[in-house]
Amino acid sequence: MSRAALLVLADGRFPAGGHAHSGGAEAAVRAGHITDAASLEEFCRGRLHTSGAVAASLAAAAALGVDPGELDLAADARTPSPALRVAARRLGRQLVRAARATWPHRELDALAGRFPKGAHQPVVMGLTARAAGLGPLDAAYCSAYEGVSGPATAVVRLLSLDPFDATGVLARLAPDLDRVARDAVEAGRAAVTEGVDVLPARSAPLLEIGAEAHAAWAVRLFAS
Amino acid sequence: MHLGDHHNTPAVSADAHRPDGTRRALRIGLGGPVGSGKTATVAALCRALREELSLAVVTNDIYTREDAEFLLREAVLPPERISAVETGACPHTAIRDDISANLEAIEDLEEEVGPLDLVLVESGGDNLTATFSKGLVDAQIFVIDVAGGDDIPRKGGPGVSTADLLIVNKTDLAPYVGSDLARMAADAKAQRGELPVVLQSLRSEEGVRDVADWVRARIAAWTA
């Protein structure tokens, strides 16, 4: 197992489509919920402990070998907003393409064949970690971190926020990221023996509502 | 490391062949600065070629669906042959650094209205450094116009210098904006060597004829 593979997968420049998505930040900026670095931090913290924790546990469970089909259904059940389900599958399809090119693996080929229009992105993330020779904790870290780094980058563009302030937000979230990733692995291990129903099902209603409103805008910078 | 069975699973990148072994559609990218006439050139190409080729268009708008909607309004192709990709405030990223959303749009068009002979991929208006990845397109056209300043060919840059075809558009405006067409042509020649340049006005009788002929030649070479 190579530690450096984790850097490749976690790199914001890994070409898996994330650059076109704001993780709900564009809707939150428009609604006046994010106006500066402090409110960005609160937004990211809320996202991390709700949809972020769910995504990280799905990724950890997939990395531990839980059936991707069952995990995909579990992700659907935990994503009330149709717009967010579409975005998650689109990003999953993009990630599986990048992953198959980067770490060729029969499980990724099988996943692409089974979900030609994309499985939920965190599920793909877990299988990608397996293909890269990484473990469930790595998969959980990647998913959790992506869930906050996406909005932080988007807000730099949306509000012309100082990029150093945005990066400082991510650094201050590090202890929370550690906790969410550890808990996600625990949940993933429980899912191996008890099934996917034991995975966390926390949600952030404002993210879901904001995503639905955002999907209907005629003019927007980000796809979600 | 398991090298997977690639049968019946979607292609990873720009394989030149379809899963059944036939040569896939030729992909041509059109890039260039905002307002230089990319969409008008795409529309004119569609009108010129739609009787002889099976065509589709992918647009990369920056923050709206305006380019796709212009093509739909002009009815240059049936709506199911036009697809819009959202680019998250970075049009060059979606055509160069992270091409998966565009690849998927092309694959979906092929699946829904194919087999296609030609896919035109139009970039969102960008700067002089924006070029298409070879993983996305087989050839690229860079479109500048006389009103953007007659020093652009002299300034060069990746688009002007390396595109397979350079279009200097809106030549009918040259007298009104004080642009020296002979100088633009000479500067372009100096930057590009043997690579072709077309000076065009879509308002003239010839319109898009030279560019359409260039596309026909590329198609002939591709299918030879």
Side-chain angles (χ1 to χ4, degrees), chain B residues 146-190:
Chain B
V146 301
D150 61 5
D151 54 350
I152 287 181
R154 181 176 50 75
K155 286 179 180 167
V160 165
S161 308
T162 66
D164 299 288
L165 177 68
L166 177 68
I167 299 178
V168 180
N169 200 22
K170 307 185 192 177
T171 51
D172 51 310
L173 295 182
Y176 306 106
V177 295
S179 283
D180 181 343
L181 287 178
R183 180 182 145 194
M184 291 185 86
D187 288 345
K189 169 86 184 150

Side-chain angles (χ1 to χ4, degrees), chain A residues 14 21 113 119:
Chain A
F14 190 78
H21 295 258

Side-chain angles (χ1 to χ4, degrees), chain A residues 110-128:
Chain A
L111 186 72
R114 189 168 169 189
F115 295 94
K117 299 292 177 190
H120 275 262
Q121 198 263 11
V123 181
V124 183
M125 178 64 86
L127 282 181
T128 300

Side-chain angles (χ1 to χ4, degrees), chain A residues 13-21 90 93-98 100-101 103-106 109-110 112-114 116-117 131 157 214 218-224, chain B residues 1-6 8-14 62-66 86-91 93-94 97-105 107-108 111-112:
Chain A
R13 285 164 293 190
F14 190 78
H19 72 95
H21 295 258
R90 191 174 292 163
R93 183 178 174 190
Q94 291 178 262
L95 177 57
V96 83
R97 175 190 299 276
R100 288 174 68 208
W103 294 288
H105 194 287
R106 64 186 160 73
D109 293 343
R114 189 168 169 189
K117 299 292 177 190
R157 296 184 199 165
H214 182 268
V219 176
R220 56 180 184 238
L221 281 180
F222 292 90
S224 79
Chain B
M1 180 83 51
H2 306 275
L3 279 173
D5 173 9
H6 285 267
N8 303 321
T9 50
V12 166
S13 61
I62 309 171
Y63 50 81
T64 68
R65 291 177 42 86
E66 287 219 357
E86 290 180 287
T87 59
C90 272
T93 305
D97 311 285
D98 190 346
I99 57 177
S100 47
N102 271 295
L103 288 173
E104 277 152 22
E107 284 172 8
D108 289 348
E111 191 182 309
E112 285 151 27

